[in-house]
Amino acid sequence: MAEQITYRRVYEDTAPRDGKRVLVDRVWPRGMRKEDARLDEWLRDVAPSSALRKWYGHEPARFAEFRHRYLAELRDAGHREATAHLRDLAAHDRLVLLTATKDVDHSQAAVLAAWLEEGR
């Protein structure tokens, strides 16, 4: 059975079996025009806070702590509506979480995908 929730870079080509394509970054990807993104949604309210994103700095050595802090943020009231919407999308269709981050395995998209899979 194919995975229902995946993640990858927003700059990569679409695939026929993508399902819903959701950008989960707080800021728009550099160098990408909105009409070229081929998104179903941009759900920036599910992204890590700016303070957490800046602290993390995409340093793999900080990923475990980033994951811990980000999962805590996902439980707060500011993220509740966005996370509920994301869960609903995942329950009804295949879902691709998109990010501009170069190291997608150490990104919020990876954390979200695992978190959504655990909740299924």
Side-chain angles (χ1 to χ4, degrees):
M1 180 183 204
E3 293 179 346
Q4 292 293 317
I5 303 168
T6 59
Y7 58 91
R8 67 172 174 261
R9 292 193 77 208
V10 69
Y11 303 105
E12 294 177 22
D13 290 335
T14 60
R17 298 183 44 96
D18 274 355
K20 296 288 184 189
R21 295 172 46 86
V22 180
L23 179 65
V24 294
D25 287 351
R26 185 160 302 279
V27 297
W28 188 258
R30 281 189 185 160
M32 177 165 277
R33 297 179 346 177
K34 290 188 179 176
E35 55 271 10
D36 294 337
R38 298 174 311 276
L39 300 176
D40 291 296
E41 292 190 46
W42 178 17
L43 197 56
R44 61 181 133 189
D45 289 339
V46 79
S49 66
S50 295
L52 179 57
R53 188 172 47 84
K54 288 175 185 174
W55 170 83
Y56 176 45
H58 300 289
E59 293 183 31
R62 292 183 177 175
F63 184 69
E65 181 62 20
F66 167 76
R67 182 183 182 285
H68 175 75
R69 291 181 187 190
Y70 181 41
L71 290 173
E73 281 190 358
L74 290 176
R75 291 188 294 272
D76 74 25
H79 286 85
R80 197 163 293 138
E81 186 176 326
T83 57
H85 180 64
L86 200 56
R87 283 189 186 279
D88 186 54
L89 289 174
H92 293 96
D93 203 348
R94 299 173 75 79
L95 184 63
V96 178
L97 304 175
L98 301 167
T99 181
T101 306
K102 290 179 183 174
D103 183 358
V104 293
D105 290 330
H106 294 100
S107 71
Q108 74 273 8
V111 174
L112 277 172
W115 180 73
L116 288 167
E117 284 291 351
E118 290 169 8
R120 292 169 71 86

